Amino acid sequence: MTTALITGANKGIGFEIARRLGERGITAIVGARDEERGRAAAERLGQPYVRLDVTDPGSAQDAAKWIEQEHGGLDILVNNAGITVWQDDDRPSATSADVLRQVYEVNVFGVVTVTNAMLPLLRRSPAGRVVNMSSELGSIAMAIDPESPFWPFNLMAYNSSKAALNMITVSYAKELWDTPIKVNAANPGYCATDLNGHTGHRTAEQGAEIGVRLATLDGEGPSGAYLQDEGTLPW
């Protein structure tokens, strides 16, 4: 049985990724910090739940031990948990280092914490997959292009956290280049979720599609790529 862990899977895109993986016969473990919400989501999906606070290395290690004990291993890791901090004035010059620390703690350091905890299990999988849920706002090439639709969105904390996540994706892909593990960054697009007050024009189910595709890549699929439904994004 193929086993997956999806962080932040109690709602939104993470929930839809877990649902879609479950429909493929994959055990999709719902990882969530809030136990009540996490268990409720897992019950709706008919899937297991594990408490996981991505900002806490001890929590990540405990989750890895539980997964090994209860499921014998791990084949897929989807680093989906992410946050932003909304400000009345979102100019970079009005954004404090404390705001960056809050965002990076989940979007960057949390991914490293969970990935490092789960890698020993993934290394034992015949076809390990790591999917980091990024954003088109992490594309430096598009951010600096005045003709890009993303030019107006100069959200320093969130955008730079996703750019950092993209480099983290490449770094893990390079380390694992000669192994069966594939590591990729996924752009779900602007989806209506709690993160943006449900203002996105895409549904969470649509946003989950690229994550599911990368989680279930065959052996010929890419590694170290930055992908969306339509194909590759510029870094």
Side-chain angles (χ1 to χ4, degrees):
M1 172 69 77
T2 301
T3 302
L5 169 66
I6 305 93
T7 67
N10 58 292
K11 60 182 180 179
I13 295 170
F15 181 88
E16 290 299 329
I17 290 173
R19 183 180 66 79
R20 296 279 297 279
L21 290 176
E23 289 174 350
R24 292 175 174 235
I26 295 170
T27 298
I29 302 167
V30 172
R33 180 176 58 182
D34 186 298
E35 187 164 354
E36 183 177 352
R37 294 177 182 175
R39 289 194 182 281
E43 287 177 10
R44 291 200 303 274
L45 293 166
Q47 295 287 355
Y49 162 75
V50 65
R51 186 184 181 279
L52 177 56
D53 179 348
V54 303
T55 69
D56 180 355
S59 174
Q61 291 293 338
D62 288 345
K65 290 175 185 175
W66 180 85
I67 290 168
E68 183 172 25
Q69 291 169 359
E70 296 296 320
H71 299 280
L74 186 68
D75 304 288
I76 298 165
L77 170 62
V78 181
N79 286 306
N80 168 75
I83 66 165
T84 192
V85 174
W86 294 107
Q87 305 176 103
D88 291 334
D89 185 347
D90 59 15
R91 291 176 301 163
S93 59
T95 302
S96 69
D98 283 341
V99 168
L100 262 75
R101 288 189 189 100
Q102 290 179 58
V103 175
Y104 273 57
E105 196 64 49
V106 176
N107 296 5
V108 180
F109 308 140
V111 170
V112 173
T113 296
V114 174
T115 302
N116 287 350
M118 300 301 159
L119 261 180
L121 299 180
L122 290 164
R123 285 182 180 276
R124 301 207 305 255
S125 171
R129 302 289 180 262
V130 179
V131 182
N132 295 329
M133 298 306 290
S134 185
S135 168
E136 57 223 337
L137 294 177
S139 168
I140 295 173
M142 290 195 289
I144 200 63
D145 179 3
E147 302 302 317
S148 165
F150 306 111
W151 173 267
F153 302 103
N154 198 21
L155 310 173
M156 184 169 71
Y158 183 78
N159 295 7
S160 68
S161 77
K162 293 302 185 179
L165 176 61
N166 289 346
M167 180 55 79
I168 285 167
T169 300
V170 168
S171 299
Y172 278 116
K174 289 172 66 177
E175 177 180 350
L176 300 165
W177 200 259
D178 295 323
T179 77
I181 302 174
K182 297 183 182 297
V183 188
N184 291 292
N187 170 40
Y190 189 31
C191 300
T193 66
D194 286 354
L195 185 76
N196 55 43
H198 293 267
T199 58
H201 60 270
R202 285 166 60 84
T203 66
E205 185 174 3
Q206 287 174 316
E209 176 62 32
I210 184 63
V212 172
R213 179 150 60 92
L214 293 177
T216 56
L217 282 175
D218 63 25
E220 300 303 312
S223 190
Y226 182 24
L227 298 161
Q228 60 184 0
D229 289 346
E230 295 82 7
T232 303
L233 281 84
W235 296 108

